[in-house]
Amino acid sequence: MLKSNLNINNRLSLIGKVSDFPKRMKSPSGIEHCRFYLEHRSEQQEVGLPRQAWCKMPVQVSGNKLIETTQSITVGCSLLVVGFITSHKSTNGLSQLVLHAEQIEFID
């Protein structure tokens, strides 16, 4: 059993390609935000058989630390994003998992 004090209780790392133009906004409190979608495709092994894995995950970048990095993000670029996931309620009332980025690396 894992100890609960380890900082892995909500960690996700995902490699993919940016599929939509990043949207930038500023909150009423002055915090800058950037949101884009990361599309992941890979082949994984499950019970010894190959399985195609695919997802399109919204990524939220907040605060000055990473916002500068987002200036170089364009549609089609490959990224490794590490952070935590949480649920956001969309305008139509549906919940959606969102990856809140804490680290972004460009992949050649």
Side-chain angles (χ1 to χ4, degrees):
M1 187 165 135
L2 291 174
K3 294 181 180 179
S4 62
N5 63 352
L6 293 176
N7 193 15
I8 60 169
N9 58 358
N10 185 349
R11 307 299 308 151
L12 178 67
S13 62
L14 189 65
I15 291 176
K17 291 188 183 242
V18 176
S19 64
D20 297 59
F21 288 104
K23 293 184 176 113
R24 300 172 196 294
M25 61 214 86
K26 192 177 266 194
S27 70
S29 60
I31 297 172
E32 292 189 56
H33 302 279
C34 178
R35 189 171 198 166
F36 58 89
Y37 285 85
L38 194 64
E39 188 171 340
H40 169 85
R41 293 181 185 275
S42 66
E43 184 175 286
Q44 303 295 317
Q45 290 290 315
E46 185 174 40
V47 294
L49 299 170
R51 180 182 180 132
Q52 296 300 312
W54 175 86
C55 69
K56 189 173 180 179
M57 174 76 72
V59 177
Q60 178 80 31
V61 182
S62 301
N64 295 334
K65 183 179 174 187
L66 285 177
I67 284 294
E68 286 184 33
T69 305
T70 66
Q71 299 300 324
S72 302
I73 293 175
T74 59
V75 173
C77 69
S78 295
L79 301 175
L80 162 65
V81 179
V82 179
F84 64 92
I85 55 173
T86 188
S87 182
H88 286 210
K89 198 168 268 196
S90 65
T91 53
N92 61 8
L94 298 175
S95 290
Q96 180 178 38
L97 287 179
V98 177
L99 173 55
H100 283 252
E102 295 176 322
Q103 178 184 347
I104 299 173
E105 291 182 30
F106 289 84
I107 299 173
D108 294 339

